[in-house]
Amino acid sequence: MVDDPTDVGQTVSMSPVTGEEIGRSNLNSSADVHRAVERARTAQAAWAALTVKERAKRLKPLGAWLTAHADELAGIICEDNGKTRTDALAAEVLPAALAADFYCRKANGFLKDRRLLPGTLFMANKAAKIARVPYGVIGIISPWNYPFAIPFSEVVMALLAGNAVILKVASETQLVGRAIERCFDALALPGGLFTHINMPGSAAGPAFLEAGVDKLFFTGSVPVGKRLMALAADTLTPLVLELGGNDPMLVCPDADLQRAVAGAVWGGLQNCGQSCGGVERIYVHRSVYEPFVAALGDAVRCLRIGVDTNHQVDLGAMTTVKQMQAVEQQVAAAVAAGAVVAAQSDPPAGVRGNFMPARVLTAVDHTMAIMREETFGPVLGVMAVEDMAQAVALANDSDLGLTASVWTRDAREGERLARQIRAGVVMINDHLMSHGLPETPWGGFKQSGMGRTHGAIGMAEMTQVQCLVHDHLPGVRRNLWWHPHGPAVYRGLRGILEMRYGRGIGTRFKGLANLAWIAPRMFRSDIAPSPKPTDKKS
């Protein structure tokens, strides 16, 4: 962390589970960000000079460090974010370790130069290849719902690609940010290569852009993403934006209902529904609607909500009171418009934490915000559909398109439907967990954002493309189209077109002859310019 000599205050961390203070974290100023970027540029130059394999070797101990501190990290995430320790381990610490191992093993292959085959015989002497060049300093602004896993993978990919990183985690989960800081400090990286900054979210984006980060990764709300995009336009700073979702789940008439119900409960309600890619709206074929809703209701009513002291609860606390209020407003508006709370779980009584019931809403439709906007809470809206074509149409009736899922025993039909859904990730008989697969790209369509993280595509986002072209034909003094020009040069160049695309053998032969006539000039250095035309005297 970079400390400002003038104290600008502290962030006080309050546990969403107990409502008590659990820590404090020094705040940084915009001047700190500028200094951090300057230090990062110095460190990045030497870091980028290492080979990818050398950088991977420096980052390889991450897996062992995460394993040794797994319980501690799960506890910090639980206290700071509110999710259960099992959820923290399964959805944050474990995916982070798997990602670190995967990217360290695959980075060299992802980032190596790639040769391009000649596109035409006439230019076969030009040998081209693609090189991946690090941007320089990557800025990462991450959210509070997955405060460890989301930024961790991005930091690892950025460093492996040869960049320096400035990370700002959410103010609500600063203790997790400090844990990430300790993790990378344990690697003894060059000073300034990785810096964790703590400042209010409203100030972070402008500060990063003004300080001159070379690329910015942001995960958060659509409105904030749009503001950052507008600010970045002044300097044409590239962005990768992941801006949330309102994700549909399609249940086909042949679906395994037991698996579909279990998948809906986990995919929609883990982390108290605070998942950008979690299930929010479910479209069920009418032939299986009633048994699905009945089984879903039973499963939701059985969920245990409360303080995770001995791994005997299923859902923890909502991270912020503000988000609880937003969820309650959506539910109340839906019920006022005719929705029915078909089932709900019981939150603990007499506890100070941010606990709220998980609910299943039926009799919902697309006039309700709960089916059209991101809810980000433990609520599942369920609609019956006459056929799967209607389900696809409803799934696409949204400004967001992050993820979706199709549930069917017919793999071919599942993929057919999945390809019709306008979303960046569509899973068949599962939901949400693709974020934990390090090889799969993550990102969405429409207002769910732009660009991708994770996998080879995510690694590519950490670099700029540089094309290198060599001329390998020995003895060539000039290209055919170089000066001096003249009628013969024009006819010879036109001959290339006639040879390749002309109609009839005569046209093609004529083109070959005209090209052959000027070919020797490629090997000569003493070509005289064509005489200038003179005006005739009258």
Side-chain angles (χ1 to χ4, degrees), residues 252 254-255 406-416 428-429:
C252 298
D254 68 336
V406 179
W407 301 73
T408 175
R409 298 177 193 268
D410 185 337
R412 181 175 296 180
E413 173 67 2
E415 183 162 329
R416 186 188 72 82
I428 299 166
N429 295 323

Side-chain angles (χ1 to χ4, degrees), residues 340-425:
V340 174
V341 179
Q344 72 175 43
S345 54
D346 295 323
V351 180
R352 289 183 59 191
N354 300 339
F355 299 104
M356 67 186 308
R359 282 167 280 200
V360 176
L361 297 188
T362 56
V364 291
D365 59 48
H366 275 224
T367 65
M368 302 174 184
I370 207 155
M371 296 298 284
R372 296 186 60 83
E373 300 173 7
E374 186 172 42
T375 301
F376 221 61
V379 183
L380 297 171
V382 190
M383 282 182 65
V385 294
E386 301 304 322
D387 53 42
M388 299 317 294
Q390 182 189 13
V392 169
L394 290 169
N396 290 332
D397 183 26
S398 174
D399 292 333
L400 301 171
L402 183 55
T403 81
S405 60
V406 179
W407 301 73
T408 175
R409 298 177 193 268
D410 185 337
R412 181 175 296 180
E413 173 67 2
E415 183 162 329
R416 186 188 72 82
L417 293 171
R419 287 176 177 271
Q420 298 177 52
I421 299 173
R422 301 290 294 166
V425 179

Side-chain angles (χ1 to χ4, degrees), residues 482-499:
W482 285 5
H483 301 118
H485 292 166
V489 173
Y490 184 87
R491 288 192 299 269
L493 294 174
R494 195 174 189 279
I496 297 175
L497 294 171
E498 292 168 334
M499 280 181 57

Side-chain angles (χ1 to χ4, degrees), residues 191-438:
L193 189 68
F194 169 80
T195 303
H196 169 237
I197 290 289
N198 175 25
M199 62 193 316
S202 59
F208 276 42
L209 293 169
E210 289 168 9
V213 296
D214 297 297
K215 190 168 186 175
L216 181 61
F217 286 72
F218 171 76
T219 304
S221 70
V222 173
V224 175
K226 289 180 177 180
R227 287 198 293 272
L228 288 176
M229 196 169 182
L231 290 172
D234 286 342
T235 52
L236 293 180
T237 303
L239 301 175
V240 171
L241 303 174
E242 197 266 88
L243 306 179
N246 179 25
D247 295 356
M249 171 179 177
L250 282 62
V251 182
C252 298
D254 68 336
D256 179 338
L257 294 188
Q258 184 177 3
R259 178 173 177 82
V261 166
V265 171
W266 185 84
L269 302 178
Q270 65 87 222
N271 196 25
C272 294
Q274 299 168 122
S275 301
C276 302
V279 176
E280 293 207 353
R281 47 199 175 105
I282 307 176
Y283 304 103
V284 186
H285 193 279
R286 189 170 295 280
S287 64
V288 293
Y289 174 78
E290 290 188 5
F292 177 87
V293 170
L296 181 63
D298 290 341
V300 167
R301 281 186 285 268
C302 290
L303 289 173
R304 300 162 297 175
I305 302 174
V307 180
D308 184 5
T309 56
N310 56 3
H311 308 292
Q312 295 297 314
V313 296
D314 303 305
L315 301 183
M318 296 284 287
T319 305
T320 71
V321 172
K322 180 180 178 181
Q323 189 56 36
M324 292 178 69
Q325 294 169 343
V327 173
E328 290 293 359
Q329 288 172 3
Q330 273 201 8
V331 171
V335 171
V340 174
V341 179
Q344 72 175 43
S345 54
D346 295 323
V351 180
R352 289 183 59 191
N354 300 339
F355 299 104
M356 67 186 308
R359 282 167 280 200
V360 176
L361 297 188
T362 56
V364 291
D365 59 48
H366 275 224
T367 65
M368 302 174 184
I370 207 155
M371 296 298 284
R372 296 186 60 83
E373 300 173 7
E374 186 172 42
T375 301
F376 221 61
V379 183
L380 297 171
V382 190
M383 282 182 65
V385 294
E386 301 304 322
D387 53 42
M388 299 317 294
Q390 182 189 13
V392 169
L394 290 169
N396 290 332
D397 183 26
S398 174
D399 292 333
L400 301 171
L402 183 55
T403 81
S405 60
V406 179
W407 301 73
T408 175
R409 298 177 193 268
D410 185 337
R412 181 175 296 180
E413 173 67 2
E415 183 162 329
R416 186 188 72 82
L417 293 171
R419 287 176 177 271
Q420 298 177 52
I421 299 173
R422 301 290 294 166
V425 179
V426 185
M427 303 192 71
I428 299 166
N429 295 323
D430 211 332
H431 200 109
L432 180 61
M433 62 81 58
S434 74
H435 190 274
L437 300 176

Side-chain angles (χ1 to χ4, degrees), residues 37-112:
V37 170
E38 290 174 3
R39 291 183 66 214
R41 293 211 183 282
T42 301
Q44 187 270 333
W47 180 252
L50 300 176
T51 66
V52 178
K53 289 184 178 180
E54 288 171 330
R55 296 195 291 265
K57 185 177 180 180
R58 297 287 296 274
L59 296 179
K60 189 175 180 181
L62 283 170
W65 194 94
L66 292 175
T67 301
H69 295 83
D71 294 338
E72 173 193 351
L73 292 170
I76 292 171
I77 295 167
C78 173
E79 274 195 313
D80 214 14
N81 161 272
K83 66 184 64 176
T84 67
R85 282 181 292 168
T86 299
D87 201 354
L89 187 68
E92 301 234 43
V93 181
L94 177 59
L98 295 175
D101 174 66
F102 176 81
Y103 295 125
C104 285
R105 286 188 291 107
K106 297 293 186 179
N108 191 60
F110 289 160
L111 298 170
K112 69 179 181 181

